[in-house]
Amino acid sequence: MQIRDYVEKNRCIMDGAFGTYFSERFAWVGLPEEANILAPDKVKEIHKEYLKAGARVIRTNTFSSNTGLLHPNFEQVERNIRAGIQCGKAAISEYGGTAFLLGDIGPIPYDDTMEEEDITEEYRQIVQIMLDEGVDGINFETLSDFKTIQPVIEELQDPNPYVMVLFSMNQFGYSAMGYRGEELLKEASQVERIDVVGFNCGVGPTHMSEFLQTIELPVDKKIAALPNAGYPKRRRTHMEYSNHPEYYSLRMKHLVEQVSIDFVGGCCGTNPSYIWELTKEIPKKQVCEPKRLNFSEKQRIRGMSGGFLYEADGQRKKKKLIAVELIPPLNIVDADLLDAANRLKKNHVDVLTFPDSPSGRTRVDSILMATKVKTETNMTVMPHMCCRDKNAIAIRSLVMGAYLNGIRDFLVVTGDPIPSISRQDIKGVFNFDSTGFMRILGDMNEELFSNNPLIFGGAINQGRRKFEREITRVQKKMDLGAKFFFTQPAFSNVDVERIQEIKEKTGATILCGIMPLISRKNALFMKNEIASIPVTDEIVDRYGENMSKAEGERVGVEIAREMIRKTEDFVDGYYFSFPFNRVYLLDRIIKKEEDHGK
């Protein structure tokens, strides 16, 4: 019997957690997936316990079988996957009853410094191995996003394998990368090759039940729900879940009575006793009217606020927009920054921006610094917010607090990594990249700020090695609601040409980055130690070895004016970053440019 045929007539009881139960059962130290080769009999024993408890769909012990978690050598990963599948098939054979085996694939860890195509290719290889080994289907689980697996699924050819896609979200309905669970479900449901969509891990049965009862579910896909046993407590070296299988099964029974759920099972903290209780409580066939609604299209808020970007009588400002970056101090002395802000106010600067601890060094918080400057100068301020230090909960809290203090504009960036010398003691969060961050802000505009939505923009790295991907990212950010973009500082004709190409292909509102370097030492530092700023040898050579301070500043002003003249026909404004907050240089740049215009 094929799994598709079985599902049409039966509600499927799946297995529970493999990893947490295996580690507890055998006091296993290390990844449970290593046991596929080191202790296959133990792996088979766990599978058989779930089958005897009533599970009719089990998952291979391959959740972490990838180069990011198990072994950097893919040949070792492949060997492990094949061994894990053989363990699952042997368990079903020895059990002797009707049961199905899904090849289990967990998320491959990656961050914004890695190429998504490489991750997608590894998923592609893993799927092919599983299909070669003859699994009944593929289960992608505990996912925080959809973009890296979508191409793999869409490429699947006949005979079409059974495909299940499960996302993980927190009690607020968001994945670790900041995507709304409902939106992820909608994305996956639009892919014809996918048979089952749903959720696993992240939350206990109560929160998952509440969540599934309040969102719109697809009418043409099977639905799966595999929550955790509950929320764990840390016990020294491990996480411990309370053991309440009867409570769990009653909560899941309530869920299937309210919503049409086709696959029921468990995730972290569950064990065979949970599955046994499910088989007693959950009807084997659908006994309720399916509660399925068609997805409705929700329009994202794309209005303009009264802040940095605004429209008057339907027309955008004619003059070039001017943004100036002020770097928050490393200590609690802010007099120089406030002096700079007051000076810039006289220059009719449109917005002051505040980086979020650039280079991974602790500085005064960008939002709190922006709030103080706004209070003292009444200027429009724009804090940068990065993904390095904050998860979705912290981001939402900070944005709401900033909103209550009158801040409506944000620059969203992934953030510089933590310096390697500090990584032993300080860990970056990086639950999602800047596009995931923008999804959160777009959702908040819908949910909280619809009357006066906040405005957010992104960064452009025109020096990116694979330039076409930068254009794609800009367009994607615009689709998510980004209203403007700041480029990295421009120093060469190549920078100018690339910025112009992005403008022509996307139509984005672009402020060209301008950084007046003030000395040869400053130029050499930027060229050799700040990888993201493309300072060329030609720029360095324009600064003499023994230049005075005044001479160095004069060269910086000249280069800035050159970049402005080369880009003024197509950019919408300029984003100035002054080394050591020497904002008085703006007077010279603007004055010279005005004189040039005459």
Side-chain angles (χ1 to χ4, degrees):
M1 179 183 291
Q2 298 293 317
I3 188 171
R4 282 191 179 86
D5 299 329
Y6 183 85
V7 175
E8 291 306 316
K9 298 178 181 179
N10 301 274
R11 177 181 283 112
C12 287
I13 301 295
M14 296 185 65
D15 55 6
F18 193 98
T20 55
Y21 180 53
F22 184 88
S23 298
E24 176 188 342
R25 177 87 160 71
F26 298 112
W28 187 266
V29 177
L31 288 177
E33 289 78 4
E34 294 172 340
N36 291 338
I37 293 172
L38 299 178
D41 288 340
K42 289 184 170 62
V43 174
K44 286 192 293 182
E45 187 173 339
I46 297 295
H47 285 319
K48 286 194 288 185
E49 285 188 37
Y50 277 119
L51 291 167
K52 292 175 182 177
R56 291 298 169 261
V57 177
I58 62 172
R59 294 163 285 175
T60 58
N61 179 34
T62 53
F63 176 84
S64 296
S65 296
N66 57 63
T67 57
L69 295 172
L70 182 69
H71 199 286
N73 185 330
F74 189 76
E75 290 182 1
Q76 298 281 17
V77 172
E78 179 177 354
R79 180 169 168 245
N80 182 275
I81 293 171
R82 293 188 188 277
I85 293 170
Q86 292 308 312
C87 289
K89 293 173 77 172
I92 290 176
S93 177
E94 292 174 19
Y95 165 68
T98 299
F100 304 94
L101 181 67
L102 298 183
D104 197 52
I105 303 176
I108 301 174
Y110 74 98
D111 57 38
D112 200 45
T113 65
M114 303 169 68
E115 298 296 345
E116 291 177 7
E117 289 80 0
D118 296 334
I119 302 299
T120 297
E121 179 57 30
E122 183 166 336
Y123 279 124
R124 188 178 288 114
Q125 291 176 301
I126 292 172
V127 168
Q128 190 57 55
I129 292 167
M130 291 179 168
L131 295 180
D132 290 344
E133 288 291 327
V135 295
D136 295 299
I138 304 293
N139 176 51
F140 295 94
E141 67 160 282
T142 322
L143 300 175
S144 296
D145 71 348
F146 187 55
K147 58 187 175 183
T148 50
I149 68 164
Q150 183 173 356
V152 180
I153 297 171
E154 291 177 336
E155 293 166 9
L156 291 173
Q157 302 295 320
D158 292 331
N160 183 18
Y162 203 72
V163 178
M164 178 181 292
V165 175
L166 304 179
F167 299 102
S168 177
M169 45 80 187
N170 61 26
Q171 61 265 46
F172 304 105
Y174 286 85
S175 78
M177 293 189 71
Y179 298 103
R180 277 199 303 171
E182 185 175 5
E183 290 297 314
L184 288 170
L185 204 68
K186 179 180 177 181
E187 261 189 276
S189 298
Q190 293 170 345
V191 177
E192 184 179 352
R193 290 289 190 180
I194 295 175
D195 298 277
V196 187
V197 295
F199 298 94
N200 77 299
C201 206
V203 295
T206 297
H207 281 135
M208 185 168 288
S209 178
E210 292 173 351
F211 178 70
L212 286 170
Q213 290 179 66
T214 56
I215 67 171
E216 298 176 352
L217 299 174
V219 296
D220 57 346
K221 302 292 182 184
K222 303 297 183 183
I223 304 296
L226 289 81
N228 290 340
Y231 295 93
K233 295 180 180 179
R234 180 173 291 280
R235 299 294 188 191
R236 291 190 178 180
T237 60
H238 67 282
M239 305 301 288
E240 187 175 285
Y241 290 83
S242 58
N243 190 32
H244 298 295
E246 295 86 358
Y247 168 82
Y248 183 92
S249 63
L250 289 174
R251 297 304 303 164
M252 296 302 289
K253 179 183 180 183
H254 174 74
L255 172 60
V256 300
E257 287 173 348
Q258 301 299 314
V259 182
S260 178
I261 303 294
D262 305 284
F263 288 81
V264 181
C267 205
C268 298
T270 60
N271 56 48
S273 64
Y274 282 74
I275 304 307
W276 173 246
E277 291 296 331
L278 286 179
T279 60
K280 292 193 298 183
E281 295 291 343
I282 304 295
K284 291 182 172 57
K285 295 184 180 180
Q286 300 288 5
V287 294
C288 62
E289 287 296 320
K291 182 182 177 182
R292 301 283 180 85
L293 302 172
N294 288 314
F295 283 114
S296 60
E297 290 295 326
K298 296 179 181 179
Q299 298 297 318
R300 286 192 176 276
I301 302 298
R302 298 187 183 276
M304 305 292 264
S305 75
F308 168 50
L309 292 175
Y310 67 89
E311 294 181 324
D313 298 327
Q315 298 295 319
R316 182 167 292 182
K317 293 168 64 174
K318 298 292 185 182
K319 83 176 192 72
K320 299 291 186 184
L321 295 162
I322 300 295
V324 178
E325 177 182 283
L326 294 178
I327 301 180
L330 291 163
N331 51 35
I332 57 172
V333 180
D334 62 357
D336 289 344
L337 186 144
L338 292 173
D339 287 344
N342 282 297
R343 181 178 189 127
L344 292 168
K345 183 177 182 180
K346 298 174 184 178
N347 280 337
H348 305 292
V349 169
D350 294 284
V351 65
L352 300 179
T353 80
F354 302 86
D356 191 356
S357 293
S359 300
R361 300 179 66 195
T362 300
R363 291 181 177 272
V364 172
D365 179 78
S366 60
I367 290 179
L368 293 177
M369 191 75 254
T371 301
K372 181 168 185 180
V373 170
K374 178 179 176 64
T375 300
E376 299 209 7
T377 66
N378 200 34
M379 293 184 70
T380 299
V381 294
M382 179 192 300
H384 301 195
M385 289 188 72
C386 75
C387 310
R388 178 189 57 236
D389 316 313
K390 309 168 190 74
N391 61 20
I393 297 172
I395 283 171
R396 287 172 65 88
S397 297
L398 283 169
V399 170
M400 288 190 289
Y403 195 91
L404 289 176
N405 281 281
I407 295 177
R408 301 287 189 271
D409 305 285
F410 297 90
L411 184 73
V412 176
V413 295
T414 298
D416 297 325
I418 294 167
S420 57
I421 193 172
S422 303
R423 288 177 193 164
Q424 185 174 352
D425 302 313
I426 304 172
K427 304 298 181 185
V429 178
F430 289 119
N431 284 157
F432 40 82
D433 63 7
S434 55
T435 56
F437 198 148
M438 289 178 180
R439 280 182 182 265
I440 292 177
L441 297 185
D443 290 339
M444 294 182 75
N445 270 343
E446 287 184 358
E447 298 167 11
L448 301 174
F449 312 134
S450 57
N451 291 332
N452 187 10
L454 51 86
I455 299 299
F456 57 88
I460 289 175
N461 179 9
Q462 69 272 11
R464 183 171 178 150
R465 184 167 55 88
K466 297 184 178 180
F467 178 61
E468 288 299 321
R469 291 181 183 171
E470 189 66 13
I471 297 176
T472 301
R473 285 182 64 81
V474 170
Q475 188 59 63
K476 181 174 183 178
K477 291 175 182 179
M478 292 175 67
D479 293 341
L480 291 171
K483 297 298 183 184
F484 61 89
F485 293 86
F486 291 175
T487 77
Q488 290 288 2
F491 288 106
S492 68
N493 288 335
V494 173
D495 286 334
V496 172
E497 291 166 2
R498 287 188 164 195
I499 294 169
Q500 184 171 11
E501 184 176 349
I502 293 173
K503 177 69 174 179
E504 291 172 350
K505 289 187 174 180
T506 66
T509 297
I510 296 178
L511 277 70
C512 177
I514 302 291
M515 179 181 284
L517 302 174
I518 58 172
S519 67
R520 184 178 181 84
K521 181 180 178 182
N522 184 206
L524 285 170
F525 173 79
M526 289 295 174
K527 173 180 171 56
N528 293 291
E529 299 195 40
I530 308 298
S532 59
I533 298 181
V535 178
T536 64
D537 290 333
E538 290 77 11
I539 293 294
V540 174
D541 290 342
R542 291 178 65 169
Y543 294 87
E545 291 279 0
N546 301 309
M547 273 186 171
S548 66
K549 174 183 175 181
E551 290 171 331
E553 289 182 347
R554 185 159 52 248
V555 172
V557 169
E558 289 172 358
I559 294 172
R561 295 203 312 265
E562 291 170 12
M563 290 297 104
I564 290 173
R565 283 196 290 271
K566 290 178 178 180
T567 58
E568 62 186 348
D569 289 340
F570 59 87
V571 300
D572 301 279
Y574 296 95
Y575 165 47
F576 289 93
S577 305
F578 294 100
F580 312 107
N581 279 345
R582 294 190 187 180
V583 298
Y584 55 81
L585 296 177
L586 183 63
D587 294 327
R588 303 179 197 175
I589 296 168
I590 291 177
K591 185 177 186 302
K592 291 290 184 180
E593 283 307 299
E594 289 173 347
D595 293 343
H596 173 76
K598 295 176 182 178

